[in-house]
Amino acid sequence: MNTQTSCGVTAEQLENFKTICKAHGLRVTPQRVEIFKMVAQSKEHPNAERVFEAVRKTMPNVSLDTVYRTLSSLEELGLVFRVGFSSKARFDADFDEHYHFVCTQCGEVYDVFPAPGERLEVPPEVEEYGRVHKINLQFSGLCARCQKETKKDL
């Protein structure tokens, strides 16, 4: 059973987070938990500054450096991953099969979910390089909002 907690993160996700941290010798601190929960519940692919602002509401003493270091360690553990092309890394904790559309103008990141039963096929020549563990596909272009703004400026 995958029950939702009050913060929008499932009990299974939190348990998995704790298990992975402990397995790698990383203490499960309140700061790490809050930072992970913020990324895991967000559909906006937050950058470190957004995570910092959100976590500070409940933990006013958390530092931006702590957020950066924690996101980096969570990424190393495979609990979150980077998306987008901008200089400010955006993070996602949703490992369900999906892709991303990244706006090249504003940097916004949108989830793109394949239709049920639809899977991206890995070209056979990729096997020459090694075994694929996961696919991270990103589309880039102008989002609808930026297209609208661009038309206004013309």
Side-chain angles (χ1 to χ4, degrees):
M1 187 162 133
N2 204 0
T3 56
Q4 196 84 5
T5 63
S6 61
C7 65
V9 176
T10 66
E12 183 180 337
Q13 283 175 300
L14 280 176
E15 216 34 60
N16 183 53
F17 163 79
K18 291 174 184 177
T19 300
I20 290 173
C21 285
K22 288 176 185 174
H24 288 87
L26 200 62
R27 287 189 11 232
V28 179
T29 64
Q31 293 87 346
R32 284 190 182 111
V33 171
E34 283 305 306
I35 291 166
F36 172 74
K37 287 188 333 187
M38 193 281 161
V39 176
Q41 72 189 6
S42 175
K43 299 297 179 203
E44 296 178 359
H45 309 92
N47 61 27
E49 289 79 11
R50 283 191 196 169
V51 173
F52 172 67
E53 290 167 11
V55 171
R56 253 185 104 177
K57 290 177 184 171
T58 57
M59 303 183 104
N61 294 331
V62 72
S63 72
L64 183 57
D65 183 57
T66 296
V67 172
Y68 273 108
R69 284 185 289 109
T70 301
L71 288 170
S72 181
S73 63
L74 295 179
E75 184 178 24
E76 286 176 24
L77 296 177
L79 291 164
V80 301
F81 60 98
R82 290 173 193 252
V83 295
F85 304 113
S86 73
S87 59
K88 286 191 178 196
R90 308 281 293 267
F91 295 90
D92 195 348
D94 182 355
F95 286 89
D96 289 338
E97 187 173 343
H98 71 287
Y99 318 117
H100 294 99
F101 176 88
V102 182
C103 180
T104 55
Q105 186 165 314
C106 69
E108 197 59 56
V109 179
Y110 301 92
D111 287 330
V112 179
F113 291 93
E118 184 181 86
R119 286 192 54 111
L120 181 65
E121 293 299 320
V122 177
E125 59 269 18
V126 171
E127 295 296 324
E128 294 173 23
Y129 304 114
R131 186 171 34 149
V132 175
H133 293 279
K134 64 180 176 181
I135 297 171
N136 181 6
L137 177 65
Q138 296 185 134
F139 301 95
S140 65
L142 280 180
C143 69
R145 189 179 72 225
C146 287
Q147 285 180 46
K148 197 178 203 179
E149 292 297 318
T150 301
K151 285 179 184 177
K152 255 196 251 182
D153 293 340
L154 295 179

